[in-house]
Amino acid sequence: MACRIVVLISGSGSNLQALIDHLDPAHGQIVLVVSNRADAYGLQRAAKAGIETQVLDHNIYASREAFDQAMMARLDSYSPDLLILAGFMRILTPAFVNHYHGRLLNIHPSLLPKYKGLNTHQRALNAGEAEHGATVHFVTEELDGGPLIVQAPVPIVSGDTSATLAARVQQSEHLLYPQAMNWFASGRLRLIDNRACLDGKPVGPVGTRLENMETDMRGMTDV
């Protein structure tokens, strides 16, 4: 049976589009895209791909906990095997995170554990780093602190600004996130004893590193 995937968004949905474009239909299906903002362009991307969409406006709920409880009830009606945060701009409550323990993924624009939180590109430049990148990880109660799955390093070059670096990191995200999704959907990726495991083996303290990522998906599913 195909893995049932739900994607949560808040904005333009460029990572969502990458997930749609590179999902292996033999193993998974995106059954729902949910946004907490009605004007999120990602909803149009999903609708164009024939994926059901819903809006759940956090502003109408009295608390973060109430919103997350409503969202859990909505999502559970679709029996998701995997939830993917793709630019979902909400801090999730412990109850939500624990409810979906082991089946909730996020992507962060840094080589975690470096530069958790916001403004990662400028912080990497300010620190004089030689490389930056993106990381896919399982979500836990610790913000950007869940078990690491896979990383894509991006070299920092002379003259880089926060904007130019962000653009290159985003390109790597569009390859990295579908890879992790397809690993999970095919049964290769699981959270075991709070460690990300690929083919039953822990991936290491910083996850699997995919070097020199190309602009297409050639060879990615064989990593």
Side-chain angles (χ1 to χ4, degrees), residues 85 91-92 97 101 104-117 135-149 151 191 194-196 204-207:
L85 306 179
I91 295 176
L92 298 169
V97 171
H101 180 74
L104 182 58
L105 302 185
N106 185 45
I107 193 164
H108 183 73
S110 80
L111 296 176
L112 291 172
K114 291 185 175 181
Y115 308 117
K116 298 178 181 180
T135 304
V136 180
H137 63 95
F138 282 103
V139 177
T140 64
E141 292 184 39
E142 181 184 355
L143 182 65
D144 300 329
L148 308 184
I149 299 167
Q151 296 186 324
L191 186 65
N194 209 39
R195 294 285 300 276
V206 296

Coordinates of all heavy atoms in Angstrom, one line a residue, residues 85 91-92 97 101 104-117 135-149 151 191 194-196 204-207:
L85 N 6.7 19.0 6.8 CA 6.6 20.4 6.9 C 7.4 21.1 5.8 O 8.6 20.9 5.7 CB 7.2 20.8 8.3 CG 6.6 20.1 9.5 CD1 7.3 20.6 10.8 CD2 5.1 20.3 9.6
I91 N 5.4 27.1 15.2 CA 6.0 26.3 16.1 C 5.0 25.3 16.7 O 4.0 25.7 17.2 CB 6.6 27.1 17.3 CG1 7.7 28.0 16.7 CG2 7.2 26.2 18.4 CD1 8.3 29.0 17.8
L92 N 5.3 24.0 16.5 CA 4.3 23.0 16.9 C 4.4 22.7 18.4 O 5.5 22.7 19.0 CB 4.6 21.7 16.1 CG 4.4 21.9 14.6 CD1 5.0 20.7 13.8 CD2 3.0 22.2 14.2
V97 N 3.7 17.2 18.1 CA 5.0 16.5 17.7 C 5.0 15.1 18.2 O 5.4 14.1 17.5 CB 6.2 17.3 18.3 CG1 7.5 16.5 18.1 CG2 6.3 18.6 17.6
H101 N 5.1 11.3 16.3 CA 6.5 10.9 16.5 C 7.0 9.8 15.5 O 6.3 8.8 15.3 CB 6.7 10.3 17.9 CG 8.1 9.9 18.2 ND1 9.1 10.8 18.5 CD2 8.6 8.6 18.3 CE1 10.2 10.1 18.7 NE2 10.0 8.8 18.7
L104 N 7.2 12.6 11.1 CA 7.1 14.0 10.9 C 8.5 14.5 10.5 O 9.4 14.4 11.3 CB 6.6 14.7 12.2 CG 6.4 16.2 12.2 CD1 5.4 16.6 11.1 CD2 5.9 16.7 13.6
L105 N 8.6 15.1 9.3 CA 9.9 15.5 8.8 C 9.9 17.1 8.6 O 8.8 17.7 8.3 CB 10.2 14.9 7.4 CG 10.2 13.4 7.3 CD1 10.6 13.0 5.9 CD2 11.1 12.8 8.3
N106 N 11.0 17.6 8.7 CA 11.2 19.1 8.4 C 12.6 19.2 7.7 O 13.5 18.4 7.8 CB 11.3 19.9 9.7 CG 11.3 21.4 9.5 OD1 10.6 21.9 8.7 ND2 12.2 22.0 10.2
I107 N 12.7 20.3 7.0 CA 13.9 20.7 6.3 C 14.3 22.1 6.9 O 13.5 23.0 7.1 CB 13.8 20.7 4.8 CG1 15.2 20.8 4.2 CG2 12.9 21.8 4.3 CD1 15.3 20.5 2.7
H108 N 15.6 22.2 7.2 CA 16.2 23.4 7.8 C 17.3 23.9 6.9 O 18.2 23.2 6.5 CB 16.6 23.2 9.2 CG 17.1 24.4 9.9 ND1 16.2 25.4 10.3 CD2 18.3 24.8 10.2 CE1 16.9 26.4 10.9 NE2 18.2 26.0 10.9
P109 N 17.4 25.3 6.7 CA 18.5 25.8 5.8 C 19.8 26.0 6.5 O 20.2 27.2 6.7 CB 17.8 27.1 5.3 CG 17.0 27.6 6.4 CD 16.4 26.3 7.0
S110 N 20.4 25.0 7.0 CA 21.7 25.0 7.6 C 22.2 23.6 7.7 O 21.4 22.6 7.6 CB 21.8 25.7 8.9 OG 21.4 24.9 10.0
L111 N 23.5 23.4 8.0 CA 24.1 22.1 8.2 C 24.0 21.9 9.8 O 24.9 22.2 10.5 CB 25.5 22.0 7.8 CG 25.7 22.2 6.3 CD1 27.2 22.2 5.9 CD2 25.0 21.1 5.5
L112 N 22.8 21.5 10.2 CA 22.6 21.2 11.6 C 23.6 20.3 12.2 O 24.1 19.4 11.4 CB 21.2 20.7 11.8 CG 20.0 21.6 11.6 CD1 18.7 20.9 11.6 CD2 20.0 22.8 12.6
P113 N 24.0 20.5 13.4 CA 23.4 21.3 14.4 C 23.8 22.8 14.4 O 23.4 23.5 15.3 CB 23.9 20.6 15.7 CG 25.2 20.1 15.4 CD 25.1 19.6 14.0
K114 N 24.5 23.2 13.4 CA 24.9 24.6 13.3 C 23.6 25.4 12.9 O 22.8 25.0 12.1 CB 26.0 24.9 12.2 CG 27.3 24.3 12.6 CD 28.3 24.7 11.5 CE 29.8 24.3 11.9 NZ 30.8 24.7 10.9
Y115 N 23.5 26.6 13.5 CA 22.6 27.7 13.0 C 21.1 27.2 13.1 O 20.4 27.2 12.1 CB 23.0 28.2 11.6 CG 24.4 28.6 11.6 CD1 25.3 28.0 10.7 CD2 24.9 29.6 12.4 CE1 26.6 28.3 10.7 CE2 26.2 30.0 12.4 CZ 27.1 29.3 11.6 OH 28.4 29.7 11.6
K116 N 20.7 26.8 14.2 CA 19.3 26.5 14.4 C 18.6 27.9 14.4 O 19.2 28.9 14.7 CB 19.1 25.8 15.8 CG 19.7 24.4 15.9 CD 19.5 23.8 17.2 CE 20.1 22.5 17.3 NZ 19.9 21.8 18.6
G117 N 17.3 27.8 14.1 CA 16.5 29.1 14.2 C 16.5 29.8 12.9 O 16.7 29.2 11.8
T135 N 19.5 20.6 5.8 CA 19.3 19.4 6.5 C 17.9 19.0 6.6 O 17.0 19.8 7.0 CB 19.9 19.5 8.0 OG1 21.2 20.0 7.9 CG2 19.9 18.2 8.7
V136 N 17.6 17.7 6.4 CA 16.3 17.1 6.6 C 16.4 16.3 7.9 O 17.4 15.6 8.2 CB 15.8 16.2 5.5 CG1 14.5 15.6 5.8 CG2 15.8 16.9 4.2
H137 N 15.4 16.5 8.8 CA 15.5 15.8 10.1 C 14.1 15.4 10.6 O 13.1 16.0 10.1 CB 16.2 16.7 11.2 CG 15.4 18.0 11.5 ND1 14.5 18.1 12.5 CD2 15.4 19.2 10.9 CE1 14.0 19.3 12.5 NE2 14.5 20.0 11.5
F138 N 14.1 14.4 11.4 CA 12.8 14.1 12.1 C 12.5 15.2 13.1 O 13.4 15.8 13.7 CB 12.9 12.8 12.9 CG 12.8 11.6 12.0 CD1 13.9 10.9 11.6 CD2 11.6 11.2 11.5 CE1 13.8 9.7 10.8 CE2 11.5 10.0 10.7 CZ 12.6 9.3 10.3
V139 N 11.3 15.5 13.3 CA 10.9 16.6 14.2 C 10.6 16.1 15.6 O 9.9 15.0 15.8 CB 9.6 17.3 13.7 CG1 9.1 18.4 14.7 CG2 9.8 17.9 12.3
T140 N 11.2 16.7 16.6 CA 11.0 16.4 18.0 C 10.6 17.7 18.7 O 10.4 18.8 18.1 CB 12.2 15.9 18.7 OG1 13.3 16.8 18.7 CG2 12.7 14.6 18.0
E141 N 10.4 17.7 20.0 CA 10.1 18.9 20.8 C 11.1 20.0 20.7 O 10.8 21.1 20.9 CB 9.7 18.5 22.2 CG 8.5 17.7 22.4 CD 8.2 17.4 23.9 OE1 8.4 18.4 24.7 OE2 7.8 16.3 24.2
E142 N 12.4 19.6 20.5 CA 13.5 20.6 20.5 C 13.5 21.2 19.1 O 13.6 20.5 18.1 CB 14.8 19.9 20.7 CG 16.0 20.9 20.7 CD 17.3 20.2 20.8 OE1 17.4 18.9 21.1 OE2 18.4 20.9 20.7
L143 N 13.4 22.5 19.0 CA 13.3 23.2 17.8 C 14.6 23.0 17.0 O 15.7 23.2 17.4 CB 13.2 24.7 18.0 CG 13.1 25.6 16.8 CD1 11.8 25.3 16.0 CD2 13.1 27.1 17.2
D144 N 14.4 22.5 15.7 CA 15.5 22.1 14.8 C 16.5 21.2 15.5 O 17.7 21.2 15.1 CB 16.2 23.4 14.4 CG 15.3 24.4 13.6 OD1 14.4 23.9 13.0 OD2 15.5 25.6 13.8
G145 N 16.1 20.4 16.4 CA 17.0 19.5 17.1 C 16.7 18.0 17.0 O 17.3 17.2 17.7
G146 N 15.8 17.7 16.1 CA 15.5 16.2 16.0 C 16.6 15.5 15.3 O 17.5 16.1 14.7
P147 N 16.5 14.1 15.3 CA 17.5 13.3 14.7 C 17.7 13.6 13.2 O 16.7 13.7 12.4 CB 17.0 11.9 14.8 CG 16.1 12.0 16.1 CD 15.5 13.3 16.0
L148 N 19.0 13.8 12.8 CA 19.3 14.2 11.4 C 19.2 13.1 10.5 O 19.7 11.9 10.8 CB 20.7 14.9 11.4 CG 21.0 16.0 12.4 CD1 22.4 16.5 12.2 CD2 19.9 17.0 12.3
I149 N 18.7 13.3 9.3 CA 18.6 12.3 8.3 C 19.6 12.5 7.1 O 20.3 11.5 6.8 CB 17.1 12.3 7.7 CG1 16.1 12.1 8.8 CG2 17.0 11.3 6.5 CD1 14.7 12.4 8.4
Q151 N 21.9 15.6 4.7 CA 22.4 17.0 4.5 C 22.9 17.2 3.1 O 23.5 16.2 2.6 CB 23.4 17.4 5.6 CG 23.0 17.3 7.0 CD 24.0 17.9 7.9 OE1 25.2 17.6 7.8 NE2 23.6 18.6 9.0
L191 N 12.6 6.0 12.1 CA 13.2 6.5 13.3 C 13.2 5.3 14.3 O 12.1 4.8 14.6 CB 12.4 7.6 13.9 CG 12.9 8.3 15.1 CD1 14.3 9.0 14.9 CD2 11.9 9.3 15.7
N194 N 15.2 6.6 18.6 CA 15.5 8.0 18.4 C 16.7 8.3 17.6 O 17.4 9.3 17.7 CB 15.6 8.7 19.8 CG 15.2 10.1 19.7 OD1 14.3 10.5 19.1 ND2 16.0 11.0 20.4
R195 N 17.0 7.4 16.6 CA 18.0 7.6 15.6 C 17.4 7.4 14.3 O 16.6 6.5 14.0 CB 19.1 6.6 15.8 CG 19.9 6.7 17.1 CD 20.9 7.8 17.1 NE 21.9 7.8 16.0 CZ 23.0 7.1 16.1 NH1 23.3 6.4 17.2 NH2 23.9 7.1 15.1
A196 N 17.8 8.3 13.3 CA 17.4 8.1 12.0 C 18.1 7.0 11.4 O 19.4 6.9 11.4 CB 17.6 9.4 11.2
G204 N 24.3 8.2 11.3 CA 25.4 8.9 11.8 C 25.0 10.2 12.5 O 23.8 10.7 12.3
P205 N 25.9 10.8 13.3 CA 25.5 12.0 14.1 C 25.1 13.2 13.3 O 24.3 14.1 13.7 CB 26.8 12.3 14.9 CG 27.9 11.7 14.1 CD 27.3 10.5 13.5
V206 N 25.5 13.4 12.0 CA 25.1 14.5 11.2 C 24.3 14.0 10.0 O 24.1 14.8 9.0 CB 26.3 15.3 10.7 CG1 27.1 16.0 11.9 CG2 27.3 14.5 9.9
G207 N 23.8 12.8 10.0 CA 23.0 12.3 8.9 C 23.9 11.9 7.7 O 25.1 12.0 7.7

